Amino acid sequence: MTKAIRIAVVIAALIAGLTLAAQRNSNVTPKESPFSEERAGVHLQTIVGVGPRPAGSEAITKTRNYILAELKKIGLKPELDEFDARTPRGMKHMVNIRALRQGAKPSLIVISGHYDTKLFENIRFVGASDGGSSAAWLLEFARATENLKLENTLEFLFFDGEEAVVDWTDEDSVYGSRHDVERRMRGKSLADIKALILVDMIGDKNLNIKREIQSTRWLKDIIWGTAQALGYRNEFPNDEIEISDDHVPYLKAGVPSVDLIDFDYPAWHTAADTLDKVSAHSLKIVGDVIYSSLPAIDRH
Ligand SMILES: [Zn+2]
């Protein structure tokens, strides 16, 4: 290496360093949030370790007891919302779980996901991403917001009965979210929800969350804008996809709602949706993005 080249290399390194520093300073939102990849990973392993967890099963009761115990451990006071749903296989007892983190105002930002898995009789379906990832993420996200100061109150909402009991139709799907919307409508409290954020199938190692078409525009703009500012352009691309999920009953009722779902997942609804296909790091990415998006959603 000649002296001239060496100087050029040093100058280039210096410029690269300065550019990096400038980029760091221009980042208003910190990349790291208190969301712990490790804790989320423990929840994921524990929940998936329960085995298949369809609505009405003993296994989902066991899962629910774990969720309740973990929410109590972090000082929250979870409430059960129990109901009986008419399904193509008769009445099934289902239970949504709710916990509040009080803000300055009673109006709500609801953060939600389902904790049931789809019923299969011919395969052992443990739903690592589909049902496991959302429940594990929501548990750790509830803890991570401990010191987050917001105007609005946060509600963590775990849905039962997201999956169809037989085949997906408007009547045979999203039992928990439909019940929740009806309950709030009866109690005239649906308008208390300022925004609903839904996560589903966010565990994929190769994370790819597209903008869900029906979801509310301003929520998507905040979340995808935040993700891209944090450097997660590949994980949160601007491509679009249309998915029916637990956010639809809220959208139909006029509640601003967004679904974060990685549907580009070959193991979807197969016996291969197992722990080796998912990663706690993907949960951490979604945790950082939503955590950093909340102040803007709170102010909107
Ligand atoms: Zn599913």
Side-chain angles (χ1 to χ4, degrees):
M1 201 187 272
T2 68
K3 198 174 181 184
I5 292 174
R6 215 177 296 149
I7 289 169
V9 168
V10 168
I11 290 172
L14 218 91
I15 291 170
L18 285 173
T19 313
L20 251 177
Q23 278 170 352
R24 281 206 197 98
N25 289 337
S26 69
N27 263 356
V28 189
T29 40
K31 184 160 183 151
E32 283 294 311
S33 79
F35 189 99
S36 158
E37 181 172 327
E38 198 191 334
R39 285 170 186 265
V42 170
H43 292 319
L44 187 62
Q45 286 189 9
T46 307
I47 291 170
V48 176
V50 172
R53 310 172 295 285
S57 66
E58 267 179 46
I60 202 171
T61 303
K62 202 172 161 193
T63 310
R64 184 160 55 244
N65 289 339
Y66 175 72
I67 292 170
L68 289 172
E70 290 299 309
L71 289 172
K72 286 175 190 164
K73 260 191 217 169
I74 56 172
L76 297 178
K77 297 187 179 71
E79 283 179 25
L80 299 182
D81 177 16
E82 308 198 31
F83 59 101
D84 292 301
R86 191 177 304 279
T87 81
R89 297 215 171 149
M91 299 301 283
K92 281 191 189 282
H93 189 65
M94 300 188 189
V95 187
N96 292 338
I97 306 165
R98 301 194 307 264
L100 293 179
R101 184 176 293 295
Q102 209 63 53
K105 296 195 290 196
S107 47
L108 299 171
I109 298 173
V110 177
I111 317 219
S112 61
H114 75 96
Y115 73 100
D116 63 310
T117 56
K118 183 161 171 59
L119 173 69
F120 287 97
E121 276 164 351
N122 306 321
I123 58 167
R124 182 176 150 81
F125 180 76
V126 298
S129 195
D130 196 0
S133 67
S134 39
W137 183 89
L138 203 45
L139 267 183
E140 171 52 14
F141 195 79
R143 189 205 61 83
T145 54
E146 213 167 15
N147 297 314
L148 184 65
K149 293 276 167 282
L150 296 174
E151 283 293 305
N152 291 281
T153 293
L154 289 179
E155 178 177 312
F156 308 105
L157 176 54
F158 297 74
F159 294 120
D160 200 344
E162 185 265 347
E163 298 287 0
V165 172
V166 181
D167 285 316
W168 189 282
T169 62
D170 284 355
E171 289 74 40
D172 185 15
S173 66
V174 295
Y175 292 95
S177 49
R178 282 191 287 135
H179 166 79
D180 187 69
V181 168
E182 284 161 21
R183 179 185 64 81
R184 290 184 210 249
M185 277 178 142
R186 277 197 308 275
K188 305 205 185 319
S189 64
L190 190 69
D192 293 349
I193 305 180
K194 176 192 173 77
L196 178 130
I197 298 166
L198 173 70
V199 301
D200 192 7
M201 296 176 64
I202 48 164
D204 190 355
K205 273 184 174 166
N206 176 22
L207 191 64
N208 182 291
I209 301 177
K210 296 175 181 168
R211 292 171 68 113
E212 197 283 313
I213 286 177
Q214 306 162 88
S215 299
T216 305
R217 179 72 188 266
W218 67 264
L219 281 168
K220 284 189 284 191
D221 287 348
I222 290 174
I223 293 169
W224 268 255
T226 303
Q228 290 169 10
L230 295 182
Y232 296 127
R233 197 167 288 276
N234 292 333
E235 292 81 358
F236 283 76
N238 283 327
D239 308 341
E240 296 194 302
I241 189 168
E242 184 170 354
I243 301 281
S244 272
D245 208 340
D246 278 315
H247 64 317
V248 172
Y250 295 89
L251 283 173
K252 281 185 181 162
V255 177
S257 308
V258 61
D259 187 16
L260 277 73
I261 182 165
D262 180 348
F263 204 65
D264 181 8
Y265 184 65
W268 175 67
H269 285 187
T270 74
D273 184 3
T274 44
L275 281 173
D276 54 315
K277 311 299 184 310
V278 296
S279 140
H281 187 62
S282 296
L283 302 187
K284 165 76 174 154
I285 291 172
V286 176
D288 287 349
V289 169
I290 298 301
Y291 189 91
S292 299
S293 299
L294 277 178
I297 294 169
D298 191 51
R299 284 191 305 267
H300 183 88

